[in-house]
Amino acid sequence: MQKKTLTIDGSHITDIASFYEEINRVFMSEEDWALGQSLDALNDMLFGGFGAIKGGEPIALIWTDFAASKAALGLEATRQFYQAKLSRPETYDVARITKDLAELEAGRGPTYFDIVLDIVADHPSIELVRR
């Protein structure tokens, strides 16, 4: 079976919000709704069944300007992501987020970019091509 090719244009990614704008452009253009800024939603979408992935079909996911995206979704974006969660203690596990932020600041915790790559890697039908 031939792989469907989808391309993320990393030059469009400057922060987490623009990452999801690009994800919606690539994966959700055929839908009348958009994916929210959620790692769980990203993971669900990659299973397929809606948007550009119709099921477990093989996908070649080309990610251009990969290094620029890594920088844009790096330490500062991740710090802001955790700090936004900490500002909503009624919604999020403050102890866990505080620990995650401390790990990030110590250079041991994953960045948002690292988390995204882990999510993609959990989908064996998707081959990530870094450019």
Side-chain angles (χ1 to χ4, degrees):
M1 180 184 291
Q2 188 169 359
K3 289 183 182 181
K4 177 188 276 186
T5 300
L6 301 170
T7 302
I8 294 173
D9 184 344
S11 71
H12 294 168
I13 299 170
T14 58
D15 56 14
I16 292 172
S18 61
F19 167 72
Y20 284 97
E21 289 171 10
E22 181 64 6
I23 291 300
N24 281 306
R25 183 191 70 78
V26 172
F27 289 93
M28 301 296 290
S29 64
E30 298 174 10
E31 299 293 337
D32 61 359
W33 57 281
L35 198 68
Q37 293 183 30
S38 163
L39 291 165
D40 290 334
L42 174 67
N43 187 45
D44 290 346
M45 182 204 65
L46 293 175
F47 280 108
F50 56 89
I53 302 176
K54 302 302 181 200
E57 65 187 321
I59 302 292
L61 180 57
I62 299 168
W63 193 326
T64 65
D65 289 314
F66 191 79
S69 297
K70 181 177 182 177
L73 300 175
L75 180 65
E76 186 54 36
T78 311
R79 181 182 294 125
Q80 290 173 9
F81 170 73
Y82 287 140
Q83 289 170 340
K85 287 180 177 286
L86 289 174
S87 73
R88 298 182 56 205
E90 71 283 357
T91 304
Y92 296 102
D93 180 347
V94 170
R96 184 182 64 81
I97 300 300
T98 300
K99 178 182 170 287
D100 291 345
L101 180 56
E103 288 292 306
L104 176 75
E105 297 290 1
R108 295 184 300 266
T111 65
Y112 200 89
F113 187 76
D114 296 329
I115 296 167
V116 167
L117 292 185
D118 286 345
I119 290 170
V120 173
D122 283 342
H123 295 272
S125 63
I126 300 175
E127 174 194 4
L128 181 61
V129 180
R130 304 168 187 202
R131 295 208 174 134

